[in-house]
Amino acid sequence: MTRILIVDDDTDILGLLRLEFEDDPGCSADTINDAGKALELIRSHSYDLIITDWRMPVMNGTEFVGAVRSQGCKTPIALYSGKECDQEIRDALDAGAEWYVGRRGNPEQEFPELKRIVQEIASRT
């Protein structure tokens, strides 16, 4: 079973992604709309993949990725954000995220890319 944590301040996105991933019986998804609380979950639960937005209140994606890594968590991280792939996204990738999937309002293209990442993670085990 591939266990995913999805972190985004948009509860609609959280619901859509949870439904999309849990449509696969080999996946389970936890969702949370607060990056600080996500860090607590990561300390107490094991995940195979973390998917996070970049634009969030209190802690942006770069700060979140850095905090995850500073906790010693080595779980792969994918950024799924409407933020353009600019220096700030590159900073998040340098901080320890492995993928960036742009959120452009086209889930028919974006969700398969996220699922491809999940399949890549599952094939590593």
Side-chain angles (χ1 to χ4, degrees):
M1 171 83 56
T2 302
R3 190 151 185 218
I4 304 165
L5 175 63
I6 306 165
V7 184
D8 199 306
D9 61 314
D10 185 330
T11 55
D12 291 336
I13 292 293
L14 292 175
L16 288 170
L17 286 174
R18 171 182 263 160
L19 288 172
E20 187 70 23
F21 288 119
E22 289 189 343
D23 190 43
D24 177 347
C27 283
S28 70
D30 291 341
T31 60
I32 192 155
N33 65 355
D34 180 298
K37 290 181 181 174
L39 292 171
E40 293 173 24
L41 275 176
I42 292 165
R43 281 191 290 270
S44 61
H45 294 81
S46 174
Y47 293 100
D48 299 299
L49 175 65
I50 299 167
I51 298 173
T52 185
D53 189 12
W54 191 89
R55 287 188 177 126
M56 297 182 289
V58 181
M59 187 181 307
N60 67 37
T62 303
E63 295 163 336
F64 176 70
V65 170
V68 169
R69 294 300 181 232
S70 72
Q71 289 184 179
C73 178
K74 297 189 183 329
T75 300
I77 301 173
L79 297 167
Y80 178 52
S81 181
K83 180 155 182 45
E84 294 294 323
C85 188
D86 59 8
Q87 185 58 49
E88 291 169 316
I89 293 293
R90 285 190 287 284
D91 290 345
L93 293 167
D94 289 344
E98 293 185 40
W99 301 274
Y100 165 75
V101 177
R103 188 185 307 166
R104 305 288 174 254
N106 189 349
E108 292 82 22
Q109 289 182 345
E110 298 158 10
F111 287 6
E113 178 64 14
L114 291 169
K115 284 186 159 186
R116 184 199 61 75
I117 292 168
V118 171
Q119 290 171 345
E120 180 179 328
I121 295 298
S123 72
R124 291 181 185 179
T125 57

